[in-house]
Amino acid sequence: RGTRIRGFAMKIRSVKYNNRKKAFEIKTSGRSWQFPYSKAKPEPSVNDPISQLFVDNELGREGFTYLLESGKQGTVHIEQVLEYNRDPWYLRDALLYKLTIEAQKRLDKSSLSKREIIRRLGTSATQFYRLLDQTNYQKSVDQLLSLLQVLDCDVDLVFRVKQASRGAD
């Protein structure tokens, strides 16, 4: 499906490594990101440094690949970078995706007809099917919450302290 944020394809323009910061530096059309070596597998180190690094065209420029002097190879996808950096638009899209998948599951188990669900939502059939499309990120969280409510599903938000810091692992 390709990684899309706010409707734009997220392509990597360039990638560099910074041994002083022990991080990769990634540039997209919108901004720059860092991704620490400690989150990459295999992890570059002083004893096994990076020998090659390139934006991977086989991934549609949505990731980069690196080779270590030992011959080990690693690949990092832009979604890993966005998740690590807690990009709010990426997190919003991930939430929409999860809510949509749950709505699809609930719809399959529901005894209500689609026509009845559409009537209860006060929407059109076209809009209803857009809500069920997991590749559509133009919908809102409140629309999906309304659909889930019609499907007899309560949604609770859980707030918790993060278990591990970004640098841990």
Side-chain angles (χ1 to χ4, degrees):
R1 84 171 174 29
T3 303
R4 301 182 76 75
I5 304 294
R6 288 184 278 171
F8 299 102
M10 182 66 73
K11 303 288 185 188
I12 297 175
R13 288 195 170 178
S14 67
V15 62
K16 297 178 188 175
Y17 60 93
N18 186 326
N19 288 327
R20 187 178 56 77
K21 291 183 180 179
K22 294 185 173 136
F24 296 99
E25 297 174 344
I26 302 103
K27 288 190 180 182
T28 63
S29 59
R31 60 181 285 199
S32 297
W33 309 90
Q34 289 194 6
F35 190 76
Y37 290 169
S38 63
K39 294 291 182 182
K41 302 295 178 233
E43 183 178 342
S45 66
V46 173
N47 297 329
D48 196 8
I50 298 168
S51 62
Q52 290 182 30
L53 174 66
F54 55 92
V55 177
D56 200 326
N57 288 323
E58 289 184 19
L59 294 173
R61 301 190 65 84
E62 290 185 1
F64 61 89
T65 297
Y66 59 96
L67 294 169
L68 303 179
E69 281 189 6
S70 66
K72 293 178 185 173
Q73 177 178 309
T75 299
V76 177
H77 195 273
I78 189 67
E79 289 187 3
Q80 293 171 268
V81 175
L82 296 171
E83 186 174 342
Y84 170 77
N85 285 282
R86 311 297 294 165
D87 178 71
W89 292 104
Y90 175 77
L91 296 175
R92 174 202 174 271
D93 287 354
L95 176 62
L96 281 177
Y97 181 82
K98 289 177 187 175
L99 290 170
T100 303
I101 297 301
E102 187 62 31
Q104 291 171 354
K105 289 178 188 173
R106 299 286 175 146
L107 180 65
D108 288 343
K109 294 177 182 174
S110 177
S111 60
L112 295 172
S113 70
K114 290 179 182 171
R115 179 169 283 176
E116 176 62 13
I117 294 168
I118 292 166
R119 186 192 67 74
R120 287 188 185 182
L121 286 172
T123 190
S124 67
T126 305
Q127 181 60 26
F128 170 72
Y129 288 109
R130 282 188 196 126
L131 284 175
L132 294 173
D133 178 3
Q134 69 263 20
T135 63
N136 172 19
Y137 291 99
Q138 302 304 310
K139 58 193 166 199
S140 68
V141 171
D142 56 330
Q143 291 171 315
L144 279 168
L145 292 175
S146 296
L147 173 57
L148 286 163
Q149 190 67 41
V150 168
L151 295 170
D152 291 326
C153 177
D154 287 328
V155 178
D156 289 327
L157 289 175
V158 177
F159 298 93
R160 62 181 178 265
V161 175
K162 286 173 50 174
Q163 296 301 314
S165 68
R166 288 186 192 173
D169 248 353

